[in-house]
Amino acid sequence: MRLSKYSIGTGDRFAHQAEAQLRACVQAMGKGVEVIPVWNKSNREHTLIGSEPRSTRQAADAAVKALHWQKQYFCDADHITLQTVDRFLETCDFYTIDVADSIGQLTTPANVEAFVERHPELLQRVQLEGVDESFEITKEDLRTTTQKFLAAVMKAAEVYRKIENSKGADNFIAEISTDETDRAQTPAELLIILAAIADEHVPIQTIAPKFSGRFNKGVDYVGDVAEFESEMALDVAAIGWAIRQYGLPDNLKLSIHSGSDKFSIYPCIHRTMERFSAGVHLKTAGTTWLEELIGLAEAGGDGLKLAKEIYAEAFRRQDELCAPYATVVDIRRGELPSPEEVRDWSSEQYTSALRHVPASAAYNRSFRQLMHVAFKIAAKMGDRYLDLLRQNEAVIARNVTENLYERHIMPVFLGEQP
Ligand SMILES: [Zn+2]
């Protein structure tokens, strides 16, 4: 199994929008650009919603069948660990192995020394192709970095082998993610991580390092855009070097866990892909659920009423809802409207506060972030929520497709602004 050059990870919390999401990839095909859909859902999401990985697979299969999609598609067990991988073994064929928790864990001095001895190439001047920068890694730096990451990579290899034993090596795509940690990895660190991954014979096809800047859920990038672009270029160049040096899969590419909607860096991502003829896996978060809310609010009547009700409860429970996402949400309480105020909103007021159109004066980033983490409330409503999704399918699907195609696929993969 070999992942194509361009792929997009999308979330579908309630497993009702797979077809509308796939339609965005169909639209890209219509423009001559193949963007492979990957439906990602983490163990955390399944647990908060009370769903099983099987539901993601069924929704994906049904969408592919309905739209006669002939290309690849995958279901991604997102951010899994040794403890959580089991429930995903049967139905997923893409595994994002998360080892952020093991970064910094100690490994034996013998392991570190053996790694340093095995990799004299890292102690010579490393000149990456396509960038001006070169590195000099000292033996001391190499030891320190190896100490920091080796245990994590060995842990990832353990998870990988568990999946391999269950599914067979050729039947899934493996990604290693180190993005959910406190500090961005430098290109030199990435090289060392990739060398360790190759040593462990883990044939990853995507890797998700952490970049500088903030990648808050559902809202734009907060950080230095130019710095992101040079960081991404160095990472892509480092990956190219590691492919040649260590025989890692030649389609190995960056996976950018965007948390969705990093509109300001999308043009940088596109430019960097062009510059290096590189591919990217763009992983978005579950913002499709916000398009469901937008669709319900747009529909008016009971849909709008329910959307307001969800906000009122989210407002009341904001501390609890934000807790699992503490490092990736940044809500300014003063920006949140009171539930009383929202109760009087029209469809237009609700949708324009929530819809991510940065140039619109009515767009409210705090409102959007709170609703992003409020899906648990809709999950608890059960059929009441799902019935309204079904009743308003057309208007919701239009919003889902338009969002994914115009705001994500177009700028990243086609280099076009909506
Ligand atoms: Zn991530």
Side-chain angles (χ1 to χ4, degrees), residues 127-129 237-248:
Q127 177 63 59
L128 303 176
E129 246 172 62
I239 287 172
W241 190 87
I243 290 169
R244 289 186 293 278
Q245 189 76 36
Y246 303 120
L248 285 161

Side-chain angles (χ1 to χ4, degrees), residues 79 179-180 257:
H79 285 288
D179 65 310
E180 294 197 350
H257 290 203

Side-chain angles (χ1 to χ4, degrees), residues 295-346:
L296 289 176
E298 195 179 313
D302 288 345
L304 178 61
K305 210 173 130 221
L306 189 91
K308 290 176 177 178
E309 202 182 311
I310 293 174
Y311 177 70
E313 194 172 340
F315 185 84
R316 210 165 39 75
R317 293 168 56 188
Q318 49 186 290
D319 291 335
E320 169 216 333
L321 295 170
C322 292
Y325 298 94
T327 57
V328 282
V329 290
D330 176 26
I331 292 169
R332 294 178 200 150
R333 280 170 194 251
E335 290 176 3
L336 290 174
S338 72
E340 292 71 35
E341 200 181 329
V342 172
R343 201 187 305 137
D344 296 330
W345 276 4
S346 63

